[in-house]
Amino acid sequence: MASKLPDVGTTIFTVMSRRARELDALNLGQGFPDYDIDPRLGELVAAAMQAGHNQYAPMEGLPLLRERIAAKLNAGYGLAVDPEAEVTVTLGATEAIYSAIQAVVGAGDEAIAFDPAYDSYEPAVRLAGGRCVRVPLAQPGFRYDWERVRGALTSRTRLILFNSPHNPACTAASAADLDALAELLAGSDTVVLSDEVYEHVVFDGLRHHSVLTHRQLAPRSFAVFSFGKTLHATGLRVGYCVAPAQLTRELRKVHQFNTFSISHPLQHAIAAYLAERPECGRDLAAFFQAKRDRLRAALEGSGFSLPAAQGTYFQLLDFSAFSAGDDRAFAERLLNEARVATIPLSPFYAAPPRLPFVRLCVAKRDSTLDEAAARLNAFAARAGRS
Ligand SMILES: Cc1ncc(COP(=O)(O)O)c(C=O)c1O
């Protein structure tokens, strides 16, 4: 049988997590916390099941949860979102991304993604019959090159896949970036899919700029969020998509035949949790910034340099003092010689440049971060600088 995605293998996250288990290495690769969730969330899940919320949930999402999401957007961004017409609960952000892409991209359409791009974007575009046009972020610092984006726009550009805070570049888009995007799209009917799963995780006093707050972008945008990230529980697999009514209608046409509806007890539990802890996202920036800073301080003087992440729960490790080789080979070396699993950036590129970075996940216990730093320091001392 001819494969529809012949070049797609197992994701780098799964590969590195499997290798970490085989080698009993510390896993700073895949983005998931290794600490406990708030026990209250667990209690609320159990209570929701005991209360009998165990049959199909409404297709669009539990009304109560959608109301709480609208209240969260109001508290966080001052937005007045209609939970009935503009909020859809999805199976994590992954399903929101997939369903939104299927809803708007058709055969022969193009979608622009910025490299390094989160790995689910391009396969979803291709399965919709479209072509993903990859525009690299500029070095140094993974900056948007808006002239290059202008050059990539054609009459077939149906969708722009935007992501801020950005995984894996660990950058946060500025208000000027959103203005530049809006200006480029003015007069076209190109839609924006804005992946904002790390909305709460921006550091050093920076602010998250959501497309939902942008006057020109909001009417043409899907914005995608993840309770897995916000509640430190990536296994929940509950996310949501906020979009104007017309885009939401199209999204739901796909969603209803993709997942139909999302775990009913989990939606009740999350709705109750948001009512009890409406501020739960607000502490995330300080929480993860402390972890980022702990890891950076512990590796000071190692020879690795760690350009301060602006956001996400990742931190890049620059290994250029140790190797001029490629990032996959260096990640493999760290796995074997330091017993630390990381994620190279090249799998996130269509045409990978030679960049000296691997990505570390800082959403780990302090003790895990300390042990990882000790192993990386010992590796650095043994390896010597090149
Ligand atoms: C940028 C980005 N988008 C989407 C996702 C997927 O989110 P979810 O786990 O809610 O499906 C992730 C998960 O790591 C991510 O980093």
Side-chain angles (χ1 to χ4, degrees):
M1 192 199 83
S3 169
K4 291 181 76 176
L5 297 170
D7 54 330
V8 172
T10 308
T11 75
I12 187 70
F13 310 116
T14 304
V15 170
M16 285 312 244
S17 288
R18 188 190 306 138
R19 296 275 290 127
R21 278 195 303 278
E22 282 165 11
L23 293 173
D24 199 21
L26 283 181
N27 189 355
L28 264 58
Q30 197 170 11
F32 64 87
D34 69 346
Y35 45 82
D36 292 334
I37 62 164
D38 181 345
R40 183 64 189 140
L41 181 58
E43 286 167 14
L44 290 168
V45 172
M49 295 193 93
Q50 278 153 11
H53 301 299
N54 299 309
Q55 308 308 330
Y56 291 128
M59 179 276 281
E60 318 77 339
L62 187 70
L64 183 62
L65 178 57
R66 286 185 285 127
E67 279 163 28
R68 298 268 152 83
I69 290 168
K72 182 175 182 305
L73 291 164
N74 182 260
Y77 303 111
L79 294 168
V81 163
D82 177 356
E84 191 48 49
E86 299 180 326
V87 179
T88 307
V89 180
T90 57
L91 200 145
T94 305
E95 191 247 325
I97 292 165
Y98 187 85
S99 293
I101 289 172
Q102 304 311 309
V104 299
V105 174
D109 288 341
E110 292 174 359
I112 293 178
F114 298 96
D115 277 1
Y118 186 65
D119 65 347
S120 79
Y121 302 159
E122 168 144 357
V125 170
R126 284 166 54 193
L127 288 170
R131 187 168 82 86
C132 203
V133 177
R134 312 277 290 255
V135 176
L137 296 171
Q139 293 302 326
F142 299 95
R143 290 166 292 106
Y144 288 96
D145 178 344
W146 293 111
E147 276 319 300
R148 205 157 167 179
V149 183
R150 192 189 300 280
L153 282 168
T154 73
S155 57
R156 291 182 300 277
T157 310
R158 192 80 183 96
L159 185 67
I160 305 260
L161 291 146
F162 194 71
N163 170 212
S164 179
H166 189 284
N167 173 24
C170 305
T171 52
S174 65
D177 286 325
L178 265 63
D179 288 343
L181 177 60
E183 194 217 302
L184 278 186
L185 299 184
S188 76
D189 60 2
T190 301
V191 172
V192 174
L193 196 170
S194 183
D195 178 344
E196 303 186 14
V197 300
Y198 300 106
E199 61 168 330
H200 296 298
V201 193
V202 279
F203 303 140
D204 301 319
L206 290 174
R207 234 170 37 120
H208 171 58
H209 297 283
S210 172
V211 293
L212 298 176
T213 62
H214 195 282
R215 214 156 37 87
Q216 282 91 33
L217 291 177
R220 60 166 82 230
S221 295
F222 295 101
V224 167
F225 303 89
S226 168
F227 283 119
K229 303 293 179 190
T230 301
L231 303 180
H232 307 278
T234 57
L236 280 180
R237 313 305 302 129
V238 183
Y240 54 100
C241 182
V242 182
Q246 193 201 352
L247 290 178
T248 294
R249 270 196 300 277
E250 296 307 310
L251 172 83
R252 289 177 183 173
K253 289 179 190 174
V254 179
H255 166 75
Q256 69 181 340
F257 297 119
N258 184 2
T259 56
F260 177 60
S261 72
I262 306 307
S263 165
H264 202 173
L266 290 188
Q267 291 192 69
H268 272 280
I270 294 170
Y273 191 82
L274 291 180
E276 285 184 17
R277 314 253 156 104
E279 75 303 336
C280 62
R282 216 179 300 147
D283 303 332
L284 292 188
F287 178 83
F288 288 118
Q289 184 170 327
K291 292 193 177 291
R292 178 201 72 171
D293 291 345
R294 187 180 188 97
L295 186 66
R296 293 181 73 228
L299 288 169
E300 217 172 288
S302 64
F304 289 115
S305 78
L306 290 88
Q310 294 177 335
T312 76
Y313 53 47
F314 304 108
Q315 168 63 51
L316 294 180
L317 183 78
D318 180 334
F319 60 78
S320 49
F322 299 97
S323 167
D326 69 52
D327 59 349
R328 278 180 190 262
F330 197 75
E332 190 59 28
R333 228 180 121 190
L334 286 181
L335 198 51
N336 289 310
E337 296 177 31
R339 291 281 189 269
V340 176
T342 61
I343 297 288
L345 263 53
S346 49
F348 300 91
Y349 280 88
R354 191 166 276 242
L355 289 176
F357 298 116
V358 291
R359 193 197 75 180
L360 305 174
C361 176
V362 301
K364 303 292 171 188
R365 287 185 211 124
D366 287 350
S367 58
T368 307
L369 295 175
D370 294 347
E371 174 61 22
R375 292 184 189 192
L376 292 169
N377 277 319
F379 168 90
R382 282 194 309 272
R385 300 177 196 191
S386 58

